[in-house]
Amino acid sequence: MVDGSIVVAGEALIDLVRAPDGSLSSHPGGGPYNVARTLGRLERPVSFLGGLSTDAFGVQLREQLQEDGVALDAAVTTTAPTTLALAQVDAAGVASYRFYEAGTSAPALTLAATVLPERIEAFYVGTLGLVLEPMASTLETLVGRLGAETLVALDPNCRPATIADPDAYRARLRRLLRRADVVKVSEEDLDWLEPGADPATAARRLLGAPEALALVTLGGDGALVVTPESELPVRAPAIEVVDTIGAGDAFMGAFLASWSEQGLGRDDLARLDAVERAARFGCRVAAIACERAGADPPRLAELRAPLV
């Protein structure tokens, strides 16, 4: 693997979480933001690429990234107000979202304002980073410019309420998938992308390169590793769920952390033993995140077993 930073690209926002009893709380969030925090807390070299507002919420988001060990050399400062997401949590702890993004900080990422680290071992993109403009076009262009040695991880994390033009979204996703090495998807993503299809079959159809693999998250049932030729189930620990906010992001961040810690790169994706190890670690970290309110991944010091 390239000796460099993992770049996590996309939105940072504030989750306003409404609990079943009607109480409201706020938490730093956004899929890519949560992935970056997970990597930082697991002590891997990571930079966040996204818009951060100068308002009070933006300062909070910035300070949290710094506290978690995430480099801000690629972050872009904007005076636009911080993007908000209203998260409704049901009795089982499962969250649904409504986003307030027009004229806010998350979309305000332009190519001209972007400065990337010199050496990038992995580049992650997902969620609203595939939807909101000009951020989405900026990130698509950046992915196209990455060197052949850089591993690309993609998480559609589909938010249909934000997708005004589904055909254009699917077309962009297909273009990005041609370069993606690791595709993380949930069952909900697959249900929206290909209604009625078997999850493994639908996930396999997302793979655009011969050595690419998909990681299908299955909630309490763990995950399913899908390659062009095989499927490998990975179990998750049994836990008491507080909420699922940020669970998939914690899984993805932990998978990349394990992959990086093992010194692996694009050429190693055919090593299913290493993939299983990283996915198992992802399930463990995601389970801990589900035992806490909001997106709150564990720190490396909290994990008693080795990272890999």
Side-chain angles (χ1 to χ4, degrees):
M1 173 173 277
V2 175
D3 181 16
S5 178
I6 300 171
V7 174
V8 176
E11 79 278 5
L13 51 78
I14 292 292
D15 284 324
L16 300 176
V17 183
R18 189 177 188 277
D21 64 4
S23 61
L24 193 68
S25 59
S26 66
H27 305 271
Y33 182 88
N34 297 336
V35 172
R37 289 184 63 205
T38 302
L39 281 157
R41 288 188 173 193
L42 296 176
E43 300 181 16
R44 302 312 301 160
V46 56
S47 296
F48 176 71
L49 170 60
L52 294 173
S53 177
T54 55
D55 66 15
F57 278 143
V59 171
Q60 179 186 0
L61 290 167
R62 183 182 295 271
E63 290 178 346
Q64 185 67 68
L65 288 172
Q66 291 174 319
E67 180 182 327
D68 290 337
V70 179
L72 298 178
D73 49 320
V76 175
T77 300
T78 174
T79 57
T82 296
T83 306
L84 301 177
L86 180 62
Q88 179 80 38
V89 179
D90 65 18
V94 177
S96 57
Y97 298 88
R98 182 178 181 86
F99 295 92
Y100 298 86
E101 78 281 353
T104 65
S105 58
L109 179 67
T110 64
L111 202 59
T114 300
V115 178
L116 294 179
E118 184 176 350
R119 297 177 66 80
I120 303 173
E121 69 173 68
F123 190 96
Y124 165 95
V125 62
T127 317
L128 302 185
L130 309 182
V131 181
L132 305 181
E133 295 289 4
M135 173 170 57
S137 293
T138 296
L139 297 182
E140 182 180 357
T141 298
L142 292 176
V143 169
R145 294 178 179 178
L146 294 172
E149 72 282 0
T150 300
L151 182 145
V152 175
L154 185 150
D155 181 1
N157 203 8
C158 302
R159 305 301 190 201
T162 68
I163 301 172
D165 187 340
D167 289 339
Y169 173 84
R170 291 172 186 272
R172 168 171 283 132
L173 183 58
R174 285 193 296 271
R175 294 192 297 270
L176 287 167
L177 287 169
R178 287 197 286 267
R179 179 59 179 86
D181 302 299
V182 177
V183 182
K184 180 260 166 188
V185 284
S186 66
E187 292 179 287
E188 292 79 11
D189 294 331
L190 295 173
D191 284 342
W192 187 79
L193 290 168
E194 196 166 342
D198 170 74
T201 300
R204 188 168 285 117
R205 289 172 182 162
L206 297 177
L207 303 180
E211 298 302 323
L213 59 87
L215 304 170
V216 183
T217 53
L218 305 172
D221 292 328
L224 182 68
V225 177
V226 178
T227 74
E229 297 85 23
S230 64
E231 301 164 22
L232 176 67
V234 180
R235 295 180 62 184
I239 59 164
E240 291 292 330
V241 175
V242 173
D243 68 46
T244 63
I245 295 173
D249 309 321
F251 173 90
M252 186 75 257
F255 179 92
L256 292 174
S258 177
W259 202 252
S260 173
E261 177 68 16
Q262 294 179 76
L264 303 175
R266 295 184 75 194
D267 295 338
D268 299 301
L269 290 172
R271 293 177 50 183
L272 287 186
D273 58 333
V275 172
E276 181 181 13
R277 187 178 303 118
R280 188 168 63 247
F281 183 67
C283 287
R284 180 177 172 218
V285 170
I288 295 172
C290 287
E291 293 177 314
R292 305 170 173 180
D296 186 13
R299 298 181 183 278
L300 185 59
E302 299 175 63
L303 303 168
R304 297 180 179 177
L307 177 56
V308 298

